[in-house]
Structures are given as C-alpha cells and as structure tokens.
C-alpha cells in the first residue's frame, strides 16, 4: 500500500529516551480527556463573537487583503498581521472568565 | 473576495501546482480514508484525529517549544504531523508531500506555497462525512418535493418581438407613462388613438400634472377606519405579477359569476336551502372584486375609488374582523390572500406540493418556503423542517446587534479599520440587519430542550432559519410591537428602520446559510443551481412601502409606491408625488420587494432626482 511505504520510521527506531511530559502537557492532556477543553473553546468562541471581537478581526483581515491585493495574500501573512492585534484586543472580562473556569477545573481535577 | 459572490456562485479558485500534481497522482482515495479520522465538533466544525483521545504534536519541535501544539498540519501522504513552522521543512525533504491537512479545522494547506488551498472533492468528502456522522443511526430525511420535480425555472432570456409582433405593438399599444424629454416614448405615442401626450409641460411638473401621472394611480376612499385596507390594496394593485394577472383578464368576474351560479343551481337541485334571497347575487369572491377594482383603478378616471363591494366581500370572508374598528394591515393582507386562495382553489383540483404555489395566483406570487434547522449541540444531529410562508415577519433587532452588523457589513463600502470603529457609535437598525438576525443560529434556552433522535434525550440545541425558496414577491412584515411582561402590556416600537431600494437575498438563502455553517466549503448545498439565473433570482427591487404612524391601538397607514422610479404617496384618497428622501425617512411597517427580472424600471435615467 502506498501509505505504508511512505510512513516515517516508527519511534522505536529512535534511540533518544523519551523525556518526562512537562506540566503544561499534562494539563493539556487532562483538559482534552475530560472534554473540558472543548467546552472552554466553545465558551471562548461565544464570548468573542458576542463582544464583536471576531467581526473586528474579520474587518482587519479584509482591510489587509484589500490593501495587498486579493491574490497576493496568504494565510501565513494574515496570521502574522492579525495575531498581535487579536491578542491585544481580547477584552479583560473574557480573559478573567476563562481563567476562572480553568482554575476551577484544575482544583477539581486535583493534579 | 466578497462573501456574497463566494456563497452563491461556486467559483473554484485554481489549484496550486502542488495540489494539481497531488490530485493527478492518484489522489482520489486518500480523501475517503479521512472519514474514519474526522471527528465532528458540533454544531459544524470538524477535526481530524486518528484516535478519539489523540493529542497531536509536532514531530520536529523540541518538547518545550511554544509551537508544539498550535496550528498543526498532517501530511496527506504520510500522516506526519508538523507545526506551521516545520511543515515546509517536511515538504522540502520529501517531494510529493506538499499537501497537508489542518488537524483542527479539516482544511487543506500547501506547505510549498504556504497558503490554504481548496479542492471541491475534499470539501464534499468533509461535508458528507459531517452530515452522515451526525445522523448516523437515522436514515436521511427525504428530500423536499422540490428536488423530485423537474426544475421549474427556465433560463431567463429577455424577449424580443418578431416582425409580426412589432407591427402589432406599433398599431395597438399606448405606453403607460409618457415622460417629458424621452424621445423614444414621444415617437411611439403618435401612432395611438388615445395617447396621453404632454409635450408642453416642463420636466418638474410633468410628473405631478394629472394627465401624466402613471396609470393605475388612484386614491381610495376611507370608508371608516379602512386605511389598513386601502394601504394594502394600493400595494397589491401595483404588485407586478398580480396586476398583470388581473389586467390580462385571467380572473374574469363574469365567468366566475356564471360558474358559481351553475354551482348554486346544482345545489338547489340537491335541496340545499338558500337562506339568502335567491334573486340577490350571493356570489362572494374576493378575486372578482379585485378584478373590478383593477379595472376601475387602471381606467382613465382619476377620482378616488370606493371599494365598498370589496369591503363587503372581505367582511363575509373574515367575519371576526367585520367592523368599523381599526385593524392591522398585515392581518388584513394574510386574510386577503387566504380569501383569494379559497376561491381559486376550486378551479384546480390537485395541489401537488405545499409551497409550490400552483394553487392560486396569490400563492404563485407570494408563497415561499422557509427552512428551519434544529441542531443538537452535543452530537451535531440536525433536524430540518420546511414550512411554506406568504411573507416573512422580522423582529426589529436591537441596536446592539445592529452595531455588530454594521461593522461586518462594511464589506460593501470602501473603508478602513478606523472608520469601522467610528461607525460602532451608531446603532441603526437596517433591513439587512433584521434579516441577519432572522437567520442567525439561536441557542434555545435550557427550558426549551429539544429531543434529539440521535442522543435519545432532551438536549440543548441551536435553531437556525433560512429561506429555502424565495417568493417572486417578498413581503417583509416588521414586528413593531413589543410585549412587556412586567406591565403585561404591548407597545409599539417606533425605531426607524433603514431599508434599501435594491436588496440581495443571496446570503439568507438556505444554500448560503448551509455553506457558511459548514465552513464555506465548495459544495452544492440544498440543490442550489450555481448558474446565472440563480444570481439574478435573488436580487430584488422595492416597489411599495407601507408605513404606520401612531400607537398600537390607533394610527394611520400610508403607502408609498414606486412607479417608473418615482415615488408616490398614497394616503387614502390623496395621491401625490414625493421625493425619495421622504420615503427613506418613513417608518416602514411592511415592505414589498419584487424579483429584479420582473421589475421594469422604465426611464429611470430621465429624472436625475
């Protein structure tokens, strides 16, 4: 089969010993396993749409695409342009709410 | 590219050379194996995971790197996962491995071009997987009858008369409106016998002098709080299709009377006792009275018309509303269409499809189909229902939504980010905003849990409306009343609604809404035809505006009519020419839009206004 020929070598061939997963990774895995990450993502999406953040970002992207010319823009370009502005303009209330949710999850998951 | 063009005409962006090479190199089957790995994230997203609990990470990033878990791409050829920084390295090392898949969004990415690429087969595979995954246990609902029937619409081609037709036109026609300064119409009127030429008056007065007012403009007398009826009648008298139907004698009141006499005769034979005086005409038909009215209104007579017979007929039909009290214009409109439908329905026995509109002229003109999707937020299962409608009732959306709509609607005007932010200060309600509000996904409250067939339980759900079939003439009814639970009373909302003279209904059609829901995939949704006739079919022109002034209990209705691109105010028996700005500033209650291809904007260039 074509796919099996092209597969990268299996990890066993790799001599390097596997490092301990970092705390960040552990938390991430716990969040995903319990399904909490999905809920948090949905909540975040909802809040950002409600406060108009998504429409703002859309407008910024549109303006950028119009300026550069429709065919000269790539996804990477847009991400580089939009990410700093986006991160800076998330309302504090949204940040606070999500942090609160994550904190309560951590205390309940008892890591 | 603007969202409306991408939504309606499925224009394929040309594939990048790497994608083209991948597809031609036997790329058909890889998409199918995606089905096993696509995990739907209701309501509409999908992600790609080999196992349900898999946490993908970049193979080339060191363990503590920031990018390790962000924006990952899985190579389509060998399933190696890389982050966006390393995905190009993977492609450079192995030729033929350029095409990758965004694992969180199920979208194609070309690592060599470093840009998103699009493939219709891929999108089709994703959408099919999504829609079949979400209703796996239940067989798909049967397609609405529209799909089974042949395509009703023929391709629109403008009509050009043959020489014989041209001769007939020259001999027997008289134009409906003669415009000063319009050379072509001046020459065509000379051949007619009863022409209404006004070659002497100046342009500014020719629109208002009685002899040059367009045909069909006639005041209607108020018979006692009947302004609700008069305003709706004025709008209907100038509804292009309805007007053409009645003026071309498609419903002849004499023929209709004869038919009902015959029926009445048969009734007597079977010994049904007629309570009314048999000598008196007991034939009550709203369509016949409309026929009389059309004949009267489109005649040369300019004196105000009294629709007494029509009022009597309508009282017979809607006896609960038969009084001299003030009534609601929208209620009257619905009741009237119902009355026409009742009578016409006897003429054709079979009613093939609901919402098809073949039963009577009222439905042929006004009926459309609304689609309602209720999606379970847990499993993504969607239940769809189709409802016929004769009008669309819109909530006046609150100013807060209007602000967000105003910012997103800036695609239509040339502006940059700064002016977008300043417009956030304005809270204007617009018709498009109301339509957006109408078609938005609405989260049904926790107390309105919907029973999901897939989960076999009551779950929280999302409801979204869209327009499956737009009627030829769309009537928008703006719900200008709000009920306050605290005081337990309703009051009228006087907020001004901004409405356009030309409206594009494309973004509110089911095909556009579905496409947007599934991530703007290149896929033929809901049986939409992406040819030119569909583009034309969703453009509408405004021809009548019904306004209400006053309170909920008492007020006055006025209709503004647009004839030959001029606006006329119809206030019961008083008809006058008004400027566009007055119409724009009026408080719209009902708006009538007709499909652009059926609307004749004659001599619009004559008056620069």
């Amino acid at each position: 089969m074509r796919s099996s020929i092209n597969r990268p070598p299996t990890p066993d061939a790799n001599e390097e010993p596997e490092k301990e997963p970092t705390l960040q990774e552990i938390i991430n895995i716990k969040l995903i396993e319990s399904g909490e990450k999905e809920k948090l993502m949905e909540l975040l999406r909802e809040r950002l749409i409600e406060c108009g953040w998504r429409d703002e970002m859309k407008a910024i992207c549109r303006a950028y695409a119009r300026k550069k010319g429709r065919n000269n823009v790539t996804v990477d370009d847009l991400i580089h342009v939009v990410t700093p502005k986006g991160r800076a303009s998330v309302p504090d209330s949204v940040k606070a709410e999500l942090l609160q949710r994550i904190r309560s999850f951590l205390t309940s998951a008892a890591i | 590219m603007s969202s409306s063009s991408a939504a309606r005409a499925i224009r394929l962006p040309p594939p990048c050379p790497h994608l083209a090479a991948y597809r031609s190199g036997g790329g058909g089957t890889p998409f199918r194996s995606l089905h096993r790995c696509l995990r739907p994230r209701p309501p509409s997203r999908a992600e790609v995971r080999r196992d349900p609990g898999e946490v993908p990470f970049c193979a080339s990033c060191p363990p503590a790197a920031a990018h390790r878990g962000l924006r990952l791409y899985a190579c389509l050829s060998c399933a190696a996962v890389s982050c966006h920084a390393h995905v190009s390295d993977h492609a450079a090392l192995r030729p033929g491995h350029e095409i990758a898949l965004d694992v969180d969004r199920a979208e194609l990415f070309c690592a060599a071009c470093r840009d998103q690429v699009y493939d219709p087969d891929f999108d089709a595979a994703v959408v099919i997987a999504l829609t079949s995954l979400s209703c796996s246990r239940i067989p798909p609902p049967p397609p609405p009858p529209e799909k089974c029937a042949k395509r009703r619409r023929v391709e629109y081609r403008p009509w050009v008369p043959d020489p014989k037709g041209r001769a007939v036109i020259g001999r027997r026609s008289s134009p409906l409106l003669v415009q000063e300064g319009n050379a072509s119409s001046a020459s065509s009127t000379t051949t007619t016998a009863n022409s209404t030429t006004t070659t002497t008056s100046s342009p500014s007065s020719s629109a208002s002098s009685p002899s040059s007012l367009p045909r069909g403009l006639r005041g209607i007398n108020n018979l006692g709080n009947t302004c609700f009826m008069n305003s709706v009648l004025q709008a209907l008298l100038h509804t292009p299709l309805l007007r053409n139907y009645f003026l071309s004698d498609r419903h002849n009141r004499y023929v209709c009377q004869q038919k009902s006499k015959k029926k009445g005769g048969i009734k007597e034979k079977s010994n049904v006792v007629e309570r009314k005086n048999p000598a008196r005409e007991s034939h009550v038909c709203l369509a016949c009275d409309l026929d009389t009215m059309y004949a009267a209104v489109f005649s040369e007579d300019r004196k105000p018309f009294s629709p007494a017979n029509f009022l009597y007929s309508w009282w017979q039909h809607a006896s609960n509303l038969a009084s001299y009290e003030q009534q609601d214009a929208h209620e009257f409109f619905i009741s009237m269409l119902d009355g026409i439908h009742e009578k016409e329905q006897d003429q054709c026995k079979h009613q093939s499809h609901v919402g098809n509109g073949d039963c009577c002229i009222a439905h042929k003109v006004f009926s459309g189909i609304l689609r309602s999707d209720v999606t379970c937020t847990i499993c993504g299962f969607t239940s769809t229902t189709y409802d016929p409608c004769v009008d669309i009732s819109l909530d006046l959306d609150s100013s807060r939504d209007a602000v967000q709509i105003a910012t997103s609607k800036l695609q239509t005007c040339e502006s940059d980010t700064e002016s977008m932010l300043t417009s956030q200060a304005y809270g204007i309600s617009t018709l498009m905003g109301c339509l957006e509000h109408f078609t938005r996904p609405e989260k049904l409250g926790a107390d309105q849990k919907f029973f999901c067939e897939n989960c076999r339980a009551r779950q929280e759900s999302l409801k979204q409306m869209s327009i499956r079939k737009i009627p030829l003439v769309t009537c928008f009814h703006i719900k200008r009343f709000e009920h306050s639970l605290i005081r337990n009373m309703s009051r009228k909302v006087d907020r001004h609604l901004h409405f356009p003279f030309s409206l594009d209904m494309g973004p509110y059609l089911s095909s556009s809404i579905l496409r947007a829901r599934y991530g703007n995939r290149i896929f033929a949704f809901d049986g939409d035809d992406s040819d030119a006739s569909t583009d034309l079919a969703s453009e509408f022109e405004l021809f009548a505006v019904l306004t209400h002034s006053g309170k909920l209990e008492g007020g006055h209705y006025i209709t503004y009519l647009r004839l030959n691109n001029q606006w006329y105010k119809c206030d019961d028996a008083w008809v006058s020419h008004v400027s566009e700005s007055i119409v724009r500033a009026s408080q719209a209650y009902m708006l009538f839009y007709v499909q652009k291809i059926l609307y004749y904007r004659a001599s619009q260039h004559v008056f620069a206004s």
Side-chain angles (χ1 to χ4, degrees):
Chain A
M1 289 249 152
R2 192 163 171 258
S3 50
S4 65
I5 294 171
N6 284 328
R7 268 184 76 152
T10 49
D12 285 332
N14 215 344
E15 297 277 318
E16 225 176 280
E18 197 166 304
K19 299 215 171 96
E20 275 287 313
T22 62
L23 181 62
Q24 200 175 359
E25 282 174 11
I26 296 175
I27 295 177
N28 195 22
I29 291 170
K30 273 246 161 19
L31 275 172
I32 294 175
E33 272 175 4
S34 60
E36 185 66 15
K37 189 165 196 197
E38 194 54 46
K39 290 197 196 121
L40 289 173
M41 292 290 267
E42 280 302 323
L43 177 67
L44 179 62
R45 266 189 208 108
E46 206 183 300
R47 292 284 178 262
L48 288 176
I49 292 176
E50 265 175 28
C51 71
W53 180 90
R54 197 180 79 160
D55 296 324
E56 257 183 67
M57 292 303 117
K58 256 188 176 175
I60 292 174
C61 290
R62 244 182 232 120
Y64 180 78
R66 202 172 286 135
K67 198 172 67 174
K68 276 295 240 25
R70 193 214 307 173
N71 295 324
N72 308 335
V73 170
T74 67
V75 169
D76 273 353
D77 278 349
L78 285 174
I79 293 178
H80 281 134
V81 164
V82 143
T83 304
K85 291 192 189 162
R87 283 190 197 273
S89 63
V90 175
D92 288 335
S93 56
V94 176
K95 286 187 196 167
E97 187 178 352
L98 277 162
L99 275 171
Q100 182 55 41
R101 286 286 292 261
I102 295 172
R103 249 185 230 119
S104 55
F105 170 77
L106 286 175
T107 49
S108 69
I111 289 186
Chain B
M1 62 186 151
S2 70
S3 65
S4 64
S5 66
R8 274 181 293 127
I10 312 170
R11 288 191 200 108
L12 255 57
C16 77
H18 312 101
L19 180 64
Y22 179 80
R23 288 309 312 274
S24 59
T29 41
F31 294 157
R32 218 159 293 155
S33 63
L34 262 178
H35 277 239
R36 279 180 273 118
C37 305
L38 267 172
R39 314 275 162 198
R41 289 270 158 259
S44 54
R45 261 173 287 276
E47 57 185 23
V48 177
R49 297 281 184 273
R50 269 169 295 203
D51 317 301
E54 182 194 359
V55 180
F57 53 87
C58 175
S60 327
C61 274
H67 289 321
R68 202 159 180 245
L70 280 177
R71 262 215 301 150
L72 299 170
Y73 297 98
C75 173
L76 273 184
S77 310
C78 68
V81 176
S82 328
C83 70
H84 61 276
H86 291 121
V87 66
S88 312
D89 301 338
H90 177 83
L93 260 110
R94 295 159 203 272
H97 287 221
E98 290 93 6
I99 308 296
L101 183 59
D102 184 326
V103 299
D104 287 324
R105 289 170 193 82
E107 285 172 358
L108 292 174
F109 184 83
C110 173
C113 307
R114 288 211 63 90
D115 195 11
Q116 226 171 343
V117 289
Y118 307 95
D119 184 86
D121 293 332
F122 173 76
D123 280 347
V126 172
V127 174
I128 289 171
L130 280 179
T131 48
S132 67
L133 275 172
S134 58
C135 47
S136 48
R137 275 186 256 166
I138 317 295
E146 262 57 31
K147 280 187 183 163
C148 307
K150 283 185 295 186
R151 252 186 69 181
R152 277 177 42 217
R153 263 193 196 129
V154 265
E155 193 193 305
Y156 170 70
R157 261 184 238 104
W159 172 78
V160 178
D162 60 352
K164 201 166 137 196
R166 236 184 278 272
V168 172
I169 291 172
R171 265 202 322 272
R172 296 212 172 266
S173 65
S174 64
L176 286 178
L177 173 69
V178 175
Q179 287 292 349
E180 172 65 9
N182 193 344
S184 57
S185 69
S187 59
S188 63
T189 51
T190 49
T191 54
T192 59
N194 54 339
S195 57
T196 51
T197 47
T198 50
T199 47
T200 48
S201 42
S202 57
S204 56
S205 64
S206 68
S208 29
S209 60
S211 51
S212 70
L213 278 177
R215 281 258 181 98
L217 217 50
R218 204 174 160 181
I220 303 180
N221 281 322
N222 190 319
L223 303 175
N225 282 335
T226 59
C227 60
F228 67 92
M229 182 179 80
N230 292 350
S231 47
V232 174
L233 283 178
Q234 287 283 15
L236 291 179
L237 283 170
H238 291 94
T239 301
L241 292 155
L242 219 53
R243 174 199 67 200
N244 297 351
Y245 180 84
F246 281 99
L247 286 180
S248 45
D249 210 24
R250 298 282 294 275
H251 182 100
N252 188 310
R253 57 188 179 274
Y254 305 110
V255 169
C256 187
Q257 268 180 24
Q258 294 299 321
K259 267 197 210 155
S260 72
K261 265 194 193 148
K262 254 193 264 169
K263 276 195 193 153
I266 295 170
K267 263 190 182 169
E268 279 176 27
K269 279 184 188 165
S270 60
N271 294 329
V272 173
V273 179
E274 289 271 351
R275 240 181 289 139
K276 296 195 183 77
N277 184 1
R280 195 208 188 289
E281 197 49 61
S282 61
H283 168 71
V284 163
C285 173
L286 279 175
C288 288
D289 295 307
L290 259 186
D291 189 40
T292 319
M293 208 179 313
Y294 271 101
V297 166
F298 277 87
S299 71
E300 299 268 326
D301 197 347
R302 294 288 186 185
K303 291 199 300 296
F305 171 76
S306 287
N309 283 334
F310 180 84
L311 185 61
Y312 176 75
S313 304
W314 180 62
W315 278 348
Q316 300 289 316
H317 172 73
S319 44
N320 58 319
L321 299 172
S323 71
Y324 278 111
E325 282 171 12
Q326 300 198 20
Q327 307 290 351
D328 178 49
H330 179 246
E331 212 178 331
F332 168 73
F333 173 69
I334 301 292
S335 158
M336 193 172 137
L337 291 186
D338 191 46
I340 298 175
H341 174 77
E342 245 183 49
K343 286 297 163 188
E344 294 271 310
Q345 210 181 355
D346 302 333
Q347 296 178 14
C348 68
K349 297 297 172 190
H350 74 103
Q351 204 182 337
S352 40
H353 315 126
V354 172
N356 201 3
D358 282 343
C359 47
C360 65
I361 181 65
H363 281 111
K364 203 172 286 185
V365 176
F366 287 104
S367 81
I369 302 178
L370 289 178
R371 175 184 164 135
S372 157
D373 292 312
V374 182
T375 311
C376 170
T377 46
I378 309 297
C379 68
F381 173 71
T382 309
S383 151
T384 306
T385 45
Y386 293 96
D387 293 308
C389 66
V390 291
D391 67 340
I392 301 177
S393 291
L394 299 172
D395 282 307
L396 248 187
D397 63 336
S398 65
S399 295
R400 193 179 72 98
D401 291 345
V403 165
Q404 290 174 2
I405 307 306
T407 55
S408 62
K409 281 283 165 279
L410 277 170
Q411 61 181 336
T412 54
C413 58
E414 301 299 319
S415 63
D416 58 338
T417 318
E418 211 184 287
S419 60
M420 177 250 328
L421 290 169
T422 52
S423 80
Q424 273 180 336
Y426 299 110
I428 332 160
S429 289
T430 66
L431 181 66
M432 317 217 2
C434 292
L435 277 168
E436 287 241 347
H437 183 83
F438 180 70
T439 53
R440 83 199 186 292
E442 183 190 346
K443 208 162 194 171
L444 297 179
D447 51 341
Q448 290 168 291
K449 280 192 180 164
F450 163 77
F451 182 77
C452 172
E453 303 271 343
N454 212 11
C455 305
R456 293 268 166 223
R458 289 203 169 269
Q459 306 282 17
E460 286 203 5
S461 47
L462 241 70
K463 177 172 149 179
Q464 189 170 32
M465 303 286 302
S466 52
I467 304 174
R468 167 75 175 91
K469 171 185 166 256
I470 13 171
L472 297 172
V473 176
T474 313
C475 168
F476 291 113
H477 167 233
I478 314 293
K479 293 197 252 184
R480 280 186 175 278
F481 29 86
E482 57 185 20
H483 189 80
S484 140
L485 289 163
I486 311 161
R487 296 188 210 163
N488 199 26
M489 58 183 235
S490 309
R491 68 179 179 93
K492 187 181 166 217
V493 180
D494 278 312
R495 189 164 355 117
H496 175 69
L497 178 77
H498 172 80
F499 51 91
F501 285 7
S502 303
L503 177 67
D504 180 14
M505 302 265 275
Y508 314 110
L509 296 177
S510 295
S511 48
S512 310
I513 299 284
L514 284 174
R515 186 168 295 115
R517 188 192 294 169
Y518 288 111
N520 268 322
R521 304 272 172 188
I522 306 168
F523 184 68
F525 278 100
D526 212 32
D528 62 348
D529 333 297
S530 55
D531 52 328
S533 64
T534 320
D535 284 352
L536 280 175
S538 40
E539 286 182 29
F540 281 74
E541 288 288 326
L542 177 67
F543 69 91
V545 180
L546 227 105
T547 66
H548 180 264
S549 49
K551 302 196 296 286
L552 211 59
E553 310 78 39
H556 187 55
Y557 287 100
I558 292 175
T559 304
Y560 291 98
L561 292 174
R562 185 186 187 189
L563 299 168
N564 283 354
N565 221 28
Q566 298 298 306
W567 284 96
Y568 297 94
K569 172 179 170 184
C570 304
D571 181 355
D572 284 335
W574 294 270
V575 177
S576 52
H577 178 261
V578 291
S579 70
E580 252 184 45
S581 45
I582 293 187
V583 180
R584 284 196 201 276
S586 63
Q587 193 190 96
Y589 179 60
M590 284 170 76
L591 294 159
F592 289 83
Y593 285 85
V594 66
Q595 277 195 17
K596 197 169 176 178
I597 53 177
L598 300 165
Y599 177 77
Y600 301 107
R601 267 209 286 202
S603 63
Q604 54 170 314
H605 51 276
V606 176
F607 286 92
S609 186

